[in-house]
Amino acid sequence: MKLRPPLTVVARRVLLLLLCAAFVGSVARAQEETAEPLTMIVNADQGETPISRHIYGHFAEHLGEDIYGGFWVQDDQGNWQYNQAVIDALNEINIPNLRWPGGCFADYYHWKDGIGPRDERPAQLNTIWGGVTEDNSFGTHEFMGLVERLDTEPIIVGNVGSGTVEEMNDWWKYLNHDGPSPMADLRAEHGHPEAWGVEYFGVGNESWGCGGQMRPQYYADLYKRFAEYLRPMSGTEPYQIAAGPSGDNYEWTRTLMEEAGWMIDGLDLHHYTVVGTWENKGSATDFTEAEWMTAMQDTRYMDELLTRHSAIMDQYDPEQETALIVGEWGMWHDPMPGTEPGFLKQQNTLRDAVVAASMLNVFNQHADRVRMANLAQTVNVLQAMLLYEDGQLVKTPTYHVFDLYQGHMDATLLPMDVDRGTYTHDGESTPAVSASASIDERGRVHITLANKDPNRPRTLSVDLRGRDVSSVDGRVLTADRVNTHNTFEQPTRLTPSAFDGATLEGGTLTVELPSKSVVALELQ
């Protein structure tokens, strides 16, 4: 008997497409299966922990077309200007913060190259992302003008990898000292006499990797040295953010907390959802159910990461004064075909939306320790909120999830007990339902749900205890196909719609949760 020859690349692609088509078709056929009943208890009178609005934060790096071509675009005469369409879209969802200039780029960036008259600024080669040359027309003043237009908090990440203590300290004074002083005078010379009062400041980025390939002990010493010079200034107290671990690098967390924890306000964990390998991450739009399952399992893995890193932090910081920040998270796919690989441009489907919703539910549940997070990234890069090109803007499914979850920002987390059910495929399993609940200052209860099962709906019987409610309103994000996404040709193919699957009767809320869906409910 002869062994079959290995599949050719073309044959592999054909097979993958057939599997993807079979997956999409099977999902549509499975809708009529009977859903298993699940119970959910929400204790609306026992909430204590606030859900920081900063959990719903964002990230803008000098990477691909996020800044140049996203936030910062050229007019017909070639002059750079803010992209008002992007700003308007983000203002609709009240983004709480924006992290800049990186990412890996932060440890290559020398801030003084980005101030002064734009036509006199030196160009910079972006060696980390795509090898493009930037004109440095977007620098400190432009970023601060952007966050003012967005009415959001700036998060600045300083250069530890290739920078100096003096350089970072000068930037801190340029941002925050009222004057008179050399940096305050220089800022006034460039058109902004008033200090900006920037509180959140990152001391390097991914120092275990692109930020310097450091050992945790070495970075801990550097962190203390750099952070020492970020002193309170003109009424601004520094919120010092240390480069935290990658994924399950628990030794990094332990070392940083042991050696420098008393100087750290926030420890910045990074973790991306990758369904393949780092070399072959898989398509954003053509995927199998096995790949869908892997993505959904990763949302549970995020819960494990936060639990274990928090437990280590608790040993050194039992009062939970230091926040665990998820400074970079999101789905990372192969680049969109036909685009520059170093620009990390990818599409964004219903799968990305369900992952985003599930991750945000996890962050909410860890609100005692997790008090900031930043989705990677905002425009045109990775799990982007927005896609923009030649005057056209698309709100991605992930954007709509952040819209649905606005009610949780600065609300109080409500304790709950949920029968989550089980989603299984080909011997693998994960909890089917992701959920979180909160109550806002006006007494409105917000419940967000994600059904990670692409095949079967779920029925939830919700017992809301400690509060009487008489009405429920909701919105749902779902589609017939798991890979549904918005394009410039069809920008509203996947958008939230009114949800009629929630009913109140005798104090019990019944929710008919569609498969592969995200639902947000408001009860009064």
Side-chain angles (χ1 to χ4, degrees):
M1 178 179 178
K2 293 184 179 180
L3 294 175
R4 294 181 179 178
L7 292 172
T8 65
V9 173
V10 173
R12 286 194 187 103
R13 289 177 179 170
V14 170
L15 178 58
L16 178 61
L17 289 173
L18 290 173
L19 289 171
C20 294
F23 173 36
V24 171
S26 67
V27 166
R29 289 191 297 272
Q31 292 300 308
E32 296 179 359
E33 293 187 17
T34 302
E36 59 183 22
L38 302 174
T39 59
M40 178 176 178
I41 299 171
V42 178
N43 294 298
D45 58 346
Q46 295 182 11
E48 297 180 352
T49 304
I51 299 174
S52 172
R53 61 193 171 93
H54 288 294
I55 284 175
Y56 293 84
H58 299 279
F59 177 29
E61 183 171 6
H62 287 244
L63 197 174
E65 297 172 343
D66 195 345
I67 299 295
Y68 297 97
F71 284 107
W72 195 235
V73 294
Q74 290 180 299
D75 62 17
D76 294 337
Q77 287 73 45
N79 299 311
W80 289 106
Q81 60 186 3
Y82 294 108
N83 189 337
Q84 193 60 47
V86 166
I87 291 170
D88 289 343
L90 295 176
N91 279 336
E92 291 175 17
I93 59 171
N94 300 304
I95 71 169
N97 64 56
L98 190 63
R99 180 175 183 256
W100 173 85
C104 291
F105 183 82
D107 284 293
Y108 290 76
Y109 183 65
H110 299 283
W111 71 272
K112 290 181 181 177
D113 292 341
I115 59 174
R118 290 177 192 156
D119 58 357
E120 297 178 11
R121 299 179 189 178
Q124 175 177 359
L125 180 64
N126 191 337
T127 56
I128 191 71
W129 299 121
V132 298
T133 300
E134 299 184 7
D135 64 4
N136 269 317
S137 62
F138 192 93
T140 299
H141 288 256
E142 290 73 27
F143 175 67
M144 294 308 301
L146 175 63
V147 297
E148 288 169 3
R149 287 163 172 79
L150 292 169
D151 192 23
T152 194
E153 290 284 343
I155 303 170
I156 299 284
V157 183
N159 183 344
V160 171
S162 67
T164 65
V165 173
E166 180 183 18
E167 180 181 24
M168 187 179 292
N169 178 244
D170 280 350
W171 201 3
W172 176 252
K173 290 183 288 191
Y174 191 88
L175 292 163
N176 294 322
H177 193 252
D178 287 337
S181 68
M183 290 300 105
D185 295 345
L186 183 61
R187 183 188 64 239
E189 180 184 325
H190 294 150
H192 205 280
E194 303 83 10
W196 284 293
V198 174
E199 178 182 0
Y200 298 104
F201 205 97
V203 182
N205 170 80
E206 294 190 359
S207 299
W208 40 263
C210 63
Q213 298 293 332
M214 301 176 194
R215 296 178 301 113
Q217 296 84 354
Y218 181 70
Y219 173 71
D221 286 341
L222 276 185
Y223 173 83
K224 287 184 288 187
R225 182 180 173 214
F226 277 71
E228 174 65 24
Y229 296 91
L230 302 178
R231 301 282 185 85
M233 193 163 291
S234 299
T236 298
E237 291 284 337
Y239 189 97
Q240 299 168 331
I241 300 172
S246 172
D248 61 359
N249 188 346
Y250 302 114
E251 183 58 30
W252 185 278
T253 295
R254 186 178 303 280
T255 301
L256 264 289
M257 291 301 296
E258 183 175 353
E259 299 291 334
W262 58 278
M263 292 183 68
I264 298 173
D265 294 308
L267 187 66
D268 185 13
L269 163 72
H270 292 180
H271 174 70
Y272 287 92
T273 301
V274 178
V275 300
T277 64
W278 279 104
E279 293 74 24
N280 297 287
K281 300 178 182 68
S283 169
T285 56
D286 297 316
F287 48 86
T288 65
E289 186 166 359
E291 291 173 311
W292 171 282
M293 170 62 80
T294 298
M296 300 305 138
Q297 288 176 321
D298 194 67
T299 65
R300 189 178 190 186
Y301 180 58
M302 177 64 85
D303 181 66
E304 176 185 323
L305 290 176
L306 298 181
T307 299
R308 292 189 173 187
H309 283 292
S310 295
I312 294 170
M313 296 174 74
D314 287 346
Q315 295 177 21
Y316 301 93
D317 175 34
E319 300 301 320
Q320 298 185 327
E321 294 181 356
T322 299
L324 181 56
I325 293 171
V326 189
E328 295 183 23
W329 68 275
M331 295 205 73
W332 195 328
H333 309 296
D334 286 337
M336 193 181 296
T339 63
E340 162 60 48
F343 284 6
L344 306 186
K345 189 171 188 177
Q346 62 188 43
Q347 252 298 351
N348 195 300
T349 70
L350 180 58
R351 175 177 62 164
D352 298 85
V354 175
V355 166
S358 300
M359 290 293 193
L360 291 172
N361 284 335
V362 170
F363 299 160
N364 288 347
Q365 294 304 315
H366 287 270
D368 58 341
R369 181 67 82 170
V370 176
R371 298 193 281 276
M372 181 179 285
N374 304 89
L375 176 71
Q377 292 186 13
T378 314
V379 190
N380 291 330
V381 173
L382 295 176
Q383 191 170 345
M385 300 281 286
L386 303 167
L387 300 177
Y388 183 86
E389 185 177 297
D390 297 330
Q392 293 181 288
L393 181 138
V394 168
K395 298 173 180 176
T396 68
T398 299
Y399 172 96
H400 294 301
V401 169
F402 275 76
D403 184 19
L404 292 174
Y405 277 53
Q406 283 193 68
H408 287 310
M409 291 196 290
D410 287 335
T412 300
L413 180 69
L414 295 178
M416 62 183 189
D417 184 24
V418 187
D419 178 5
R420 301 178 186 276
T422 304
Y423 159 48
T424 60
H425 171 72
D426 198 22
E428 297 289 331
S429 65
T430 195
V433 175
S434 168
S436 59
S438 67
I439 186 166
D440 65 24
E441 60 182 7
R442 293 171 56 187
R444 298 173 300 185
V445 174
H446 302 273
I447 298 175
T448 51
L449 302 161
N451 186 355
K452 295 183 280 186
D453 191 330
N455 304 311
R456 298 178 60 193
R458 294 293 194 277
T459 299
L460 274 77
S461 178
V462 183
D463 182 4
L464 185 66
R465 298 179 179 176
R467 186 165 189 83
D468 293 328
V469 294
S470 58
S471 67
V472 57
D473 292 303
R475 290 189 292 163
V476 60
L477 185 71
T478 189
D480 290 338
R481 293 176 175 269
V482 290
N483 62 350
T484 301
H485 55 279
N486 298 325
T487 65
F488 294 115
E489 294 75 26
Q490 294 181 292
T492 58
R493 181 188 292 155
L494 182 55
T495 57
S497 59
F499 181 59
D500 59 4
T503 56
L504 270 172
E505 185 174 348
T508 298
L509 171 68
T510 301
V511 182
E512 301 293 342
L513 188 62
S515 65
K516 58 190 182 308
S517 68
V518 179
V519 168
L521 303 174
E522 180 180 295
L523 293 92
Q524 297 187 68

